Every structure is written in C-alpha cells, then in structure tokens.
Amino acid sequence: MSQSLFLSKYSNTFLSRWLVFAFDLGIVIFSFSVATLLRMNFRLIDIDFNAFKYHFLFLFIFRVLSFLYFQSYTGIIRHTSIEDAGIILKAVFTGTFLATMLSVVVRYYFGLDTLFYVPLSILLIDFFICLFLMVSLRFWVKSFYESFIREFRPSVGILIYGAGYTGMLTKNVIQNDRSINYSILGFIDDNESKIGKTIEGIRVYSLPEAMDKFVDKTDGLEVIMAINKISLKVKKRISDVFLDRGVVVKILPPVEKWVGGEFAVNQIHNVKIEDLLGRDVIQMNNKQVGEQLFSKTILVTGAAGSIGSEIVRQLVAYLPASIILVDQAESGLFDLEFELSSSIPINTKLSVYVADVTDQKRMSRIISAHKPNFIFHAAAYKHVPLMESNPYEAVRINVLGTKILSELAAENHVERFVMVSTDKAVNPTNVMGATKRLAEMYTQSMNHLEGVSTKFIATRFGNVLGSSGSVIPLFKKQIERGGPVTVTHPDITRYFMTIPEACELVLEAATMGNGGEVFVFDMGESVKIIDLAKKMITLSGLRVDRDIEIKYTGLRPGEKLYEELLNNNENTLPTHHPKILIAKVNTPSYSYMEIQSHELEHILEHGTSNQLVAKIKDIIPEYKSNNSIFEQLDKAAIRSKG
C-alpha cells in the first residue's frame, strides 16, 4: 500500500470510545494490583486474596460510575490536551474520594471491619498510579501517532528570512504546529554579526550561503520572510531572488491581524503577485478628493466592470449625495447593487440603470433626471483581439458612446467629465487602442467649445492586475487547470498597477483637472510577461516546465511587444502629485472632430470594416496596425504616397 493510500485510510480512523473505556478499566485493574503490592512491600504471602477481590470490586464500581459520569473515555486520544487531562483527574479523584468516604464511614462510624473497608494507604497509592497511567499513556499515544504520521508525510524544508524577534516567533509557531511536517533548515539574515552563529540550535546563514546550500538541493523548499514592517522594495528583492530559482516565498500576516501578539501557521501566505510590481503604491491626497466629491451627484458608466465597480466602491467612502450606476451587464450590476446595499451610507442614494451608452434617448433621460456633478466614463470594449475582429462595435461603443455622453454632459452642465483611457491609445497598433484615442481626442476638443462649462479630463494608464482584460486572471485559470500557461511572445512587456490604485488615481486626477488634460500615471517599470507567468506558477507551489508548461502562441491580432504612455509627439508637464503627469497632446478642433465623427457614423451604417479602419487611420496618422489583417491598409497607403 502506498504512503498516500495508507494515510488516507488510517489518518481519519479513530478508536471506538468503548474500546478506550475498556482500556481504562484495564488500567484500573493494573493500578490497584500494583498499589496493593506496594502497600505489602511485594510480600505476596501477606496479601489476603479473599479480601483483595472484595476491595477491588468495591473500588471498581466507583471507578466505572465516575468514568461514565465524566465521560473521560470519549476524547480522541491523538488529540489529547490539558483539558482532557483535567477531565481524567476529576474522574479518578471522584472515584477515589467516594471509595475513601464510604470506607471511613463503614469502619469509623459504624465500627465495622468488613471486607468492604479498603485501607486508605492503598487508595492513595492507587489514585496516583491510576491518574499517572491514564494521562501519560494518552499523551504517549498522541506523540507516537504524530511521529508515525510524520514518517509518511513529505517534509517541508523551511528557511526563515530574518533572525530577529519576528523570526524567532515564526520558528516557534511553526515548530508547535503539527498539521505539516515542517523542517526548519536555518535562518537567513543580512546582519553579518549574526551570520555563522546559531539561535536555539538553528544556524544563521547569509543569503549566498543559503542559496548555495539549500536551493536546488532541497525538495519542497519554502522561504518565509519574517521581517517586521518590510518595505515593498525589500520584499520584491528577496522574492525575486528565490522565485527566479523556483522556490516558494511566503510572508507573515500584517501585525494588526496577530492575536495576542502571535499568529497561526495558516495565516502565513504566499507573496501576492501585486507585491511584485516593482514600485511603492502611489499615495493619494484623499482629503482634497473628499472635499470635491462630498455631497455631489456622481454617474459612473461601465459600473459593473472591474474599473467602474472599484470607482464606485471608493466613491462611497467620500459620502456623495447620489451615485448612479449605468451598465448594460445585468448580472454584474445586480451583484454590485447587492454588495453596496450593506455598505452604502444612509445619506447616499443609489440608482441603478441597465442601459447602453450609445442609446442617446435613454442616456439623456438618465442624465436629465439626476443632473450629475461628475461623470466617470469607464464603459468601453477593451479586449484587443476581439475588437480587431469587430471594429464596428469598437467604434460604436468606444467612440460614439463617448461622443453621446460628452455632449449630454455639456448640455446638462455637468461639472467634470472623466474618461478612463488606456496606454493602448498611444501610438495605437490595434482597433481598440485607436478608438480609445479617438474618444480622447473628441472629449478634449469639447474643452475649446464656446459656452461649454464642463471640464473634460482623460486618464491614461496600463494594465490593472485582476481586471477582466488582464493576463493575471487568465494565468490563474490556466494554472488551476494544470497548464499550459500561454504567453504570446518571450519579449512582450506590460505596465501594471492594482485596480484600487488605478481607481484612486482616476479620482485624484478628476479633482485636480482644469479641463483639457490627459493625465498619465507613473506605472513604474514595465514587466516581462514571461517573468510574471513564471512567478505566478512558483507562487502556486508548482514548478515551471515540470508541473506547468509555458507555451508561446505568437502575438495576437493588434498586439504589440511594448506599450508606451506617451506617443512620439508628446511630452509631459508636472502636477502637484509626483506620480501624476499631464501629457501635452495635440488636440484637434471640435469642428474637425465633429466632421470626422459624422463620417464614421456614415461608414458604420453603409461601409465595410476596411473602410471604417481606413478612416480611423486617416484621423490618427500614428495608428499602424500590427499582426493584423488591417496591415494591408498601411501598405496601400505607403504605395499611394510612393
């Protein structure tokens, strides 16, 4: 029988409580016999065996009754605890106490020296022997079981990074946990005065020493970072060293989640992929945002999406007077409304509309009825390959939907209109990015329209971790299915930030904008997607190319290797926030964009996809298709110029 089958068969099998009861009665027989021998100095000739059997029967009855009353035999032996020992003490003491009291009453109050009088010395000796055997044998069985099971369980080698107080606490917590067969191999520390020494018998290594001694030589190796108030930079540096070698890296829970100054082993968790972005989380000026959004009416389109829903969640904290949710995704809206129902402040009104942003009459009624102060426009089609195959929908939603909303915002004197854009709008190589750039251009042109008081603002950022369009959910699903993990190209890179962080930046930009700005966010360093895939596989406790295969599938239609936040003709201006910049974009006139949008509408109704994309390329000269059927349009344009 294999080890796994053996464990599965016997690890959840428990002794019958009646078998334990019988075992305890056997101890009662043994302890009374030994107590009698000790009392007689092991002289068998002095023992009255006729009296012995009556004495034993007398005590045995009280033992049985006390065991049944306290149910000392019902505990699971392998999980024996101090509480179980206390119950056994009560049961044994009660039996001895009752037998003693009755013996004393029989002899000293009635003056009867009967066979049912048990010498007090025997009862006292029996009490200690019986108690010792019942408690110690239970703990011995528990210890034997744990040692036996550990022999079958694979050992998990642990390196603790940090030999300070937190490291010592981690060591003690791990050693006291019996659920996994942990083996602490050593500490790692950067303090040279500790390296080479031992702490409670465990050696402290430098990072190079630990890498050389344990990495690639220890199966199932894990590293636990036990450093209090560890910075993101240090966390990333340590994680990268081990994850690049296929070693799982874990970290302790935040100190505020410790109970009584300690934590449990099950609170130690894998480093999150969000922790490996390569930069510190951007801090927002929440006070200024709160002052501008407090008691305002705010409409959010695309409210059921990953960005839109997070914007809504963050808006709730600023106590607006009203939040209007708009999306055509019925199920997503229902889920968000249900989530908010228990958290939205009592003075904030919530209105939910299933609506299409391209339905002008419907959107006009909604905006006219609520008169929002702010509109956050997050509704868009964003999947690059899908939009490459469906340019009609990309133009209809991303361009004309934005046009309809921005015009309605101007008509209804909305204070600020904030459009959520993307880095794919920069030097676009796909339909999706080009339509988002057109939307930027249209909204920016409205800032120059006479008589319009609405401030139109655009925010531009890269991929957000966990959004429906991100590779992160895709990789997670592929890893859960056992692979392979698909990467389009070994050199492809992307910028990343978390969803909450991206939405905080949107709110900050919305309140600082004066109209006409395209805000660009500091995305840190771009990340190679292949490195991201490898780290996610390792963080799942699996090994690249051994447990999970990585396959290269080739660039998808419209996809490019590198994404920029600015195009070749743009530069930036600083803002009061060091992580938010203003892109100096070339903004066309409103009359020009109005003419172009009418032509796009005409092509939508009467033209073909090629004609539609050709028109977009005419409006955006920097739009060059990549790995797409529309590359032929670029070649045709070059030939016509030649």
Side-chain angles (χ1 to χ4, degrees):
M1 184 182 296
S2 66
Q3 294 181 1
S4 59
L5 287 175
F6 181 87
L7 287 177
S8 64
K9 182 175 181 179
Y10 293 107
S11 60
N12 292 318
T13 302
F14 306 101
L15 287 177
S16 165
R17 59 179 181 172
W18 299 115
L19 184 60
V20 175
F21 183 68
F23 181 76
D24 287 344
L25 295 181
I27 291 177
V28 170
I29 297 171
F30 178 80
S31 61
F32 187 79
S33 301
V34 173
T36 303
L37 282 172
L38 287 172
R39 172 66 180 78
M40 299 302 175
N41 294 317
F42 293 96
R43 292 172 58 88
L44 294 177
I45 195 173
D46 294 336
I47 298 176
D48 183 349
F49 286 98
N50 186 49
F52 172 83
K53 64 182 180 182
Y54 285 104
H55 292 169
F56 168 72
L57 181 61
F58 178 74
L59 178 61
F60 186 80
I61 292 172
F62 287 111
R63 286 274 186 258
V64 170
L65 293 175
S66 62
F67 288 170
L68 290 172
Y69 179 79
F70 288 101
Q71 294 190 324
S72 58
Y73 53 89
T74 59
I76 299 174
I77 294 182
R78 73 181 67 166
H79 300 308
T80 298
S81 63
I82 296 299
E83 288 76 12
D84 295 311
I87 293 173
I88 293 171
L89 171 62
K90 292 176 183 178
V92 175
F93 176 80
T94 301
T96 301
F97 177 77
L98 292 175
T100 302
M101 288 300 98
L102 190 56
S103 290
V104 169
V105 168
V106 167
R107 180 168 186 178
Y108 295 101
Y109 283 86
F110 294 100
L112 300 174
D113 191 6
T114 68
L115 293 175
F116 292 101
Y117 168 73
V118 184
L120 298 184
S121 57
I122 293 179
L123 290 174
L124 185 63
I125 295 170
D126 171 79
F127 168 77
F128 287 110
I129 293 175
C130 186
L131 178 63
F132 172 78
L133 290 177
M134 288 184 66
V135 173
S136 61
L137 285 177
R138 275 171 166 76
F139 279 103
W140 180 84
V141 171
K142 175 184 178 182
S143 176
F144 175 79
Y145 172 81
E146 290 174 350
S147 300
F148 181 71
I149 290 297
R150 280 171 178 263
E151 290 295 322
F152 288 92
R153 285 179 176 163
S155 176
V156 178
I158 297 290
L159 287 171
I160 300 175
Y161 205 115
Y165 170 77
T166 306
M168 290 300 301
L169 180 61
T170 304
K171 178 193 79 73
N172 293 333
V173 169
I174 289 173
Q175 287 183 331
N176 290 333
D177 185 83
R178 303 295 184 183
S179 60
I180 300 178
N181 188 11
Y182 289 113
S183 174
I184 300 178
L185 305 175
F187 290 103
I188 303 175
D189 206 282
D190 299 327
N191 188 338
E192 294 185 0
S193 64
K194 294 182 180 179
I195 295 171
K197 297 181 173 63
T198 60
I199 300 177
E200 294 187 4
I202 297 176
R203 184 180 175 85
V204 181
Y205 298 92
S206 66
L207 179 58
E209 286 176 338
M211 296 291 290
D212 182 63
K213 185 175 178 65
F214 299 108
V215 176
D216 299 328
K217 298 176 182 177
T218 306
D219 289 335
L221 179 64
E222 294 181 2
V223 173
I224 298 176
M225 286 188 281
I227 303 173
N228 194 19
K229 295 181 180 178
I230 185 171
S231 70
L232 184 62
K233 184 177 180 181
V234 173
K235 187 189 299 184
K236 182 179 184 299
R237 174 179 63 84
I238 296 171
S239 298
D240 285 347
V241 168
F242 289 101
L243 289 175
D244 289 344
R245 299 283 291 274
V247 177
V248 175
V249 181
K250 296 188 174 184
I251 195 164
L252 306 183
V255 175
E256 57 269 19
K257 292 188 178 181
W258 295 12
V259 179
E262 293 189 359
F263 57 90
V265 167
N266 59 10
Q267 289 181 282
I268 301 174
H269 58 270
N270 287 4
V271 171
K272 297 178 181 178
I273 197 68
E274 291 89 340
D275 296 331
L276 307 178
L277 287 172
R279 57 168 170 74
D280 292 325
V281 174
I282 299 172
Q283 299 299 318
M284 298 294 110
N285 185 354
N286 293 325
K287 183 179 179 182
Q288 179 182 341
V289 175
E291 289 173 353
Q292 293 221 29
L293 298 179
F294 175 72
S295 198
K296 296 293 178 68
T297 298
I298 303 168
L299 184 147
V300 181
T301 70
S306 52
I307 295 295
S309 61
E310 181 59 28
I311 288 175
V312 172
R313 292 184 190 98
Q314 295 190 17
L315 285 172
V316 167
Y318 297 113
L319 304 178
S322 177
I323 300 177
I324 303 103
L325 312 182
V326 176
D327 205 302
Q328 61 179 341
E330 174 199 19
S331 297
L333 268 183
F334 176 82
D335 292 340
L336 182 60
E337 182 183 23
F338 181 78
E339 175 190 333
L340 294 174
S341 62
S342 60
S343 61
I344 195 164
I346 191 170
N347 294 324
T348 299
K349 182 181 178 182
L350 185 68
S351 302
V352 182
Y353 293 96
V354 178
D356 187 331
V357 293
T358 63
D359 186 338
Q360 187 171 17
K361 290 183 180 179
R362 172 81 161 145
M363 294 309 303
S364 177
R365 289 173 183 170
I366 293 171
I367 294 174
S368 298
H370 292 278
K371 297 293 183 184
N373 304 104
F374 285 77
I375 292 179
F376 288 91
H377 179 40
Y381 283 136
K382 57 190 175 182
H383 290 279
V384 171
L386 272 178
M387 293 305 100
E388 207 67 14
S389 303
N390 298 275
Y392 178 97
E393 287 298 320
V395 172
R396 188 178 72 87
I397 297 294
N398 295 357
V399 181
L400 300 184
T402 303
K403 175 180 181 290
I404 289 169
L405 280 172
S406 58
E407 289 175 346
L408 289 172
E411 289 174 14
N412 289 273
H413 308 290
V414 173
E415 293 176 24
R416 293 170 188 261
F417 181 96
V418 184
M419 176 194 162
V420 177
S421 190
T422 170
D423 58 359
K424 293 176 178 62
V426 182
N427 295 324
T429 61
N430 52 69
V431 170
M432 193 281 281
T435 55
K436 293 295 282 185
R437 177 59 189 141
L438 279 177
E440 285 183 1
M441 293 166 67
Y442 194 91
T443 55
Q444 297 310 297
S445 72
M446 291 196 68
N447 285 289
H448 304 299
L449 191 59
E450 189 174 344
V452 173
S453 61
T454 303
K455 295 178 180 179
F456 291 90
I457 300 159
T459 59
R460 199 187 272 175
F461 51 85
N463 298 271
V464 286
L465 293 169
S467 74
S468 58
S470 171
V471 298
I472 307 300
L474 172 63
F475 285 170
K476 285 181 179 178
K477 290 178 183 177
Q478 290 176 334
I479 292 169
E480 288 171 0
R481 289 198 302 258
V485 170
T486 56
V487 179
T488 57
H489 193 282
D491 296 325
I492 194 168
T493 65
R494 289 293 181 266
Y495 291 98
F496 286 99
M497 61 169 44
T498 64
I499 293 177
E501 185 181 24
C503 294
E504 285 182 11
L505 285 165
V506 171
L507 297 183
E508 177 92 359
T511 55
M512 73 164 63
N514 295 312
E517 301 95 343
V518 174
F519 287 102
V520 180
F521 303 151
D522 181 349
M523 299 290 294
E525 299 177 1
S526 61
V527 178
K528 289 190 74 172
I529 300 300
I530 182 63
D531 292 339
L532 188 67
K534 289 178 179 178
K535 287 174 181 176
M536 287 188 66
I537 292 170
T538 303
L539 287 172
S540 300
L542 303 169
R543 288 159 292 188
V544 178
D545 293 331
R546 185 170 174 179
D547 300 315
I548 300 287
E549 181 186 2
I550 294 179
K551 280 188 176 181
Y552 296 109
T553 58
L555 291 175
R556 298 175 298 174
E559 192 172 40
K560 55 184 175 179
L561 287 177
Y562 314 102
E563 289 179 348
E564 312 102 307
L565 294 174
L566 297 169
N567 73 29
N568 298 331
N569 299 317
E570 295 175 356
N571 52 30
T572 60
L573 296 173
T575 68
H576 71 264
H577 197 295
K579 298 297 183 181
I580 303 178
L581 304 173
I582 300 174
K584 294 180 66 176
V585 297
N586 297 318
T587 303
S589 66
Y590 174 77
S591 59
Y592 172 79
M593 289 306 301
E594 185 72 1
I595 293 170
Q596 301 305 321
S597 65
H598 282 309
E599 290 188 20
L600 283 171
E601 288 182 60
H602 178 76
I603 297 172
L604 275 181
E605 188 173 352
H606 303 287
T608 64
S609 292
N610 276 358
Q611 290 174 321
L612 191 60
V613 175
K615 182 58 185 175
I616 298 173
K617 289 179 179 291
D618 182 53
I619 304 171
I620 309 173
E622 66 269 23
Y623 170 27
K624 305 296 180 186
S625 296
N626 183 38
N627 193 37
S628 167
I629 58 173
F630 300 119
E631 287 180 88
Q632 58 181 316
L633 300 176
D634 298 321
K635 294 174 183 177
I638 293 172
R639 285 196 299 269
S640 64
K641 290 179 181 179

